Amino acid sequence: MVEAADLLTVAAGGLVGLILGLVGGGGSIFAVPLLVYVVGVSSPHVAVGTSALAVAVSAASGLVSHARMGSVKWRCAVVFALSGIVGALAGAALGKAIDGRYLLALFGILMLVVGLVMLRRKGGGDNPDVRLNWQSARQLLPGLVVGGFFIGAFSGFFGIGGGFLIVPGLVSVTAMPLLNAIGSSLVSIAAFGLTTAASYAASDLIDWRIAAFFVAGGVLGGIAGSLLARRLASRRAVLNHLFAGMVMAVGAYVVVSGVSALI
């Protein structure tokens, strides 16, 4: 039987999906604060684990569309993701070992940093033909492996997709265009999310009912956001700045709340 709390969870997931559809990567950063302060998840660790699962499902859904468009550089994406899975396991283990109050305060600081990064967002590279093969391996592999590991660890620690780091990371290493970087990043986001979720599930730190309703709302919100994004395409820069401001405002609230809980 669907309860009022379930509808609230659908609404929270819908908001995250709407933001993702409107401005792209980074919207999932709202998942943990919404689960804690709106849905009412009492444990920050459960919020992180549940968020990681929702992020993974959303990324996998988006990956299907990008794969059909041919915008995924599969070899680069898979190497980056495989290296990041190892990092995500380490990051998730460390995150679970930290007091939830400290984890939430750190998450707020992360949101402030993400907001600043979004304000300084740059475009993609100029090499649409980049491929990982025997000739390019010496040049590309070190950056993909090292970058994947550390960004995966970061994603695993906070239970986020990490798209705001993965996309510029792929562009920096391979010089692929932004569309290819976004499509390719979804491979890693899904992989990191599933790895983190599996780690938290093994410690019984996922609320499966909340995850199901949150994902359902995210799918509906994502559809609405994608449709709305087409109408607001000319105002993309304004949307990005508004989004960055929202992220920093929520981040400041989370930091203040987290510090207050520690005092």
Side-chain angles (χ1 to χ4, degrees), residues 30-100:
F30 285 109
V32 169
L34 284 170
L35 287 171
V36 172
Y37 298 109
V38 176
V39 177
V41 176
S42 59
S43 167
H45 288 112
V46 171
V48 169
T50 304
S51 169
L53 179 61
V55 166
V57 173
S58 297
S61 176
L63 179 60
V64 173
S65 298
H66 277 274
R68 288 175 177 173
M69 290 190 299
S71 59
V72 180
K73 297 286 186 180
W74 286 103
R75 293 179 183 176
C76 292
V78 169
V79 169
F80 196 95
L82 289 176
S83 176
I85 286 173
V86 179
L89 285 171
L94 180 60
K96 289 188 293 183
I98 290 180
D99 186 295

Side-chain angles (χ1 to χ4, degrees), residues 6-224:
D6 298 328
L7 296 177
L8 192 61
T9 304
V10 171
L15 179 60
V16 171
L18 180 67
I19 294 172
L20 280 169
L22 275 174
V23 300
S28 60
I29 196 76
F30 285 109
V32 169
L34 284 170
L35 287 171
V36 172
Y37 298 109
V38 176
V39 177
V41 176
S42 59
S43 167
H45 288 112
V46 171
V48 169
T50 304
S51 169
L53 179 61
V55 166
V57 173
S58 297
S61 176
L63 179 60
V64 173
S65 298
H66 277 274
R68 288 175 177 173
M69 290 190 299
S71 59
V72 180
K73 297 286 186 180
W74 286 103
R75 293 179 183 176
C76 292
V78 169
V79 169
F80 196 95
L82 289 176
S83 176
I85 286 173
V86 179
L89 285 171
L94 180 60
K96 289 188 293 183
I98 290 180
D99 186 295
R101 296 171 300 172
Y102 289 105
L103 185 62
L104 203 57
L106 288 172
F107 196 92
I109 295 173
L110 168 68
M111 294 188 74
L112 293 174
V113 174
V114 170
L116 292 173
V117 171
M118 296 297 292
L119 286 174
R120 298 172 60 86
R121 176 181 281 179
K122 299 181 180 180
D126 56 1
N127 187 8
D129 299 320
V130 64
R131 292 185 62 190
L132 179 61
N133 50 34
W134 292 112
Q135 288 73 34
S136 63
R138 185 174 181 180
Q139 176 186 357
L140 299 180
L141 268 180
L144 291 172
V145 171
V146 174
F149 176 83
F150 283 105
I151 294 176
F154 192 84
S155 298
F157 183 82
F158 286 107
I160 59 174
F164 69 97
L165 288 174
I166 298 171
V167 171
L170 287 171
V171 171
S172 176
V173 173
T174 68
M176 66 176 65
L178 185 59
L179 180 61
N180 293 121
I182 292 173
S184 301
S185 74
L186 293 172
V187 178
S188 292
I189 294 173
F192 299 168
L194 285 175
T195 301
T196 304
S199 177
Y200 273 76
S203 301
D204 197 25
L205 291 172
I206 290 182
D207 188 312
W208 297 99
R209 182 183 179 90
I210 288 178
F213 281 103
F214 196 90
V215 168
V219 171
L220 296 175
I223 294 172

